[in-house]
Amino acid sequence: MSTSYQGSEEEIRALDTYIKLMRATGSVTYRAHTHLVDVKLTPSQFGVLEALFHLGPLVQRDLANKLLVTGGNITMVVDNLEKRGLVLRKRDSDDRRFINVHLTEMGNELIGRLFPVHADIIKRELQVLTADEQDLLGDLCKKLGLNETG
Amino acid sequence: MSTSYQGSEEEIRALDTYIKLMRATGSVTYRAHTHLVDVKLTPSQFGVLEALFHLGPLVQRDLANKLLVTGGNITMVVDNLEKRGLVLRKRDSDDRRFINVHLTEMGNELIGRLFPVHADIIKRELQVLTADEQDLLGDLCKKLGLNETG
DNA sequence: GGGCAATAGTTTAACATTAAATGAATACAT
DNA sequence: ATGTATTCATTTAATGTTAAACTATTGCCC
């Protein structure tokens, strides 16, 4: 049956904390994405629209960096968004390597309508914690992220 | 440029906390997977091996539930692990709907060698937090996960 | 200014992932 | 006991995801 792994106390604690971190993130993310089914958007597509909504037109490389995915991935996701008429590509005339991605009228309308729903879901999920607890959680998470690179 | 979204204070806080949670999880997970390149295992494949290592042989449905993925996904991942001779499928003779997945000698040897490395990476990543901080983080995460369903 | 390194984007191959449809085996209700 | 509903696994289609190879463009350097 269960293969017992003999780790140190620190390892046990770290693995236990990590699994809880994973579950919490997965849980909130899962719920934050349920409403996307209605508009037939994938989480990745929503992520791109959200980034453009908040930051304005972006070069694909910047999108990839923001969303922590590869360039090839962005090519695919933007392709599908473009097919649906939600975003447009516009090559930079100064430096023709760059391609600016911006929301179309339709894309802007959609994400402008979707984001408040998204924000509300996140808010309700996080409200099992008090404001202080959320700040505390944020601080602890920030420390974990800082650990450099990646 | 930046399209300003006018959310409530609660929404702003929740979104801010959520993004930090996502970044922290992504950061630790990313680092925990770097060593898999050496043995040409994908994170999903590692996840299956890890589950089998700790819980013993599992039916595919249980694997899917443990790893929070769909059944079709497990079919694919187990296929690839089976091709490499790391796991074996064995149909249950009592209830022929079930397929038990278990580690082969080679699979057991591999995950037994890999898991300590994995545990050590997680430990080092989490050690930017004290033991108390880790417990606190775990508790906060647990509250988030509890919010039922999903 | 001609060659070379660096950067942006695309493509390809392999694997992952989901939802939905299907097939096979079992449970259950009347 | 027979028909119906469940459950498990697979398949399919579509999209995502990465790494690696490739193209195109620009920057740099001698």
Side-chain angles (χ1 to χ4, degrees), chain A residues 3-142:
Chain A
T3 309
S4 60
Y5 169 71
Q6 267 313 49
S8 66
E9 190 186 337
E10 285 93 346
E11 277 180 354
I12 305 288
R13 187 190 310 274
L15 287 169
D16 180 63
T17 305
Y18 177 59
I19 192 72
K20 285 173 184 161
L21 186 66
M22 293 272 290
R23 299 256 169 197
T25 305
S27 171
V28 176
T29 299
Y30 173 82
R31 289 163 197 162
H33 288 160
T34 48
H35 72 110
L36 297 181
V37 176
D38 304 334
V39 291
K40 297 196 193 303
L41 275 185
T42 66
S44 304
Q45 290 168 353
F46 178 81
V48 168
L49 295 183
E50 188 187 9
L52 298 178
F53 184 58
H54 287 106
L55 304 172
L58 287 176
V59 159
Q60 291 191 190
R61 181 98 295 274
D62 291 339
L63 270 174
N65 292 341
K66 283 288 171 197
L67 303 175
L68 302 176
V69 294
T70 61
N73 183 13
I74 291 295
T75 295
M76 164 71 96
V77 176
V78 169
D79 274 355
N80 287 324
L81 285 172
E82 202 174 25
K83 281 179 199 158
R84 279 186 59 178
L86 298 174
V87 304
L88 270 182
R89 284 179 163 103
K90 185 155 167 260
R91 195 167 282 276
D92 189 307
S93 48
D94 288 344
D95 188 334
R96 295 189 49 74
R97 284 174 303 183
F98 293 92
I99 295 188
N100 264 278
V101 183
H102 61 89
L103 293 168
T104 62
E105 182 77 21
M106 198 195 326
N108 193 64
E109 188 277 331
L110 180 62
I111 188 61
R113 185 157 52 80
L114 249 44
F115 185 75
V117 179
H118 177 77
D120 189 61
I121 293 176
I122 303 290
K123 186 194 71 177
R124 290 206 310 269
E125 288 296 326
L126 270 287
Q127 269 180 351
V128 301
L129 303 180
T130 66
D132 282 349
E133 283 174 332
Q134 287 185 46
D135 289 344
L136 184 54
L137 175 59
D139 287 346
L140 293 171
C141 285
K142 203 163 183 180

Side-chain angles (χ1 to χ4, degrees), chain B residues 89-107:
Chain B
R89 283 178 163 103
K90 184 155 168 261
R91 196 168 282 276
D92 189 306
S93 48
D94 289 342
D95 189 333
R96 294 189 51 73
R97 286 174 302 182
F98 293 92
I99 294 189
N100 265 278
V101 183
H102 62 88
L103 293 169
T104 61
E105 182 78 21
M106 197 194 327

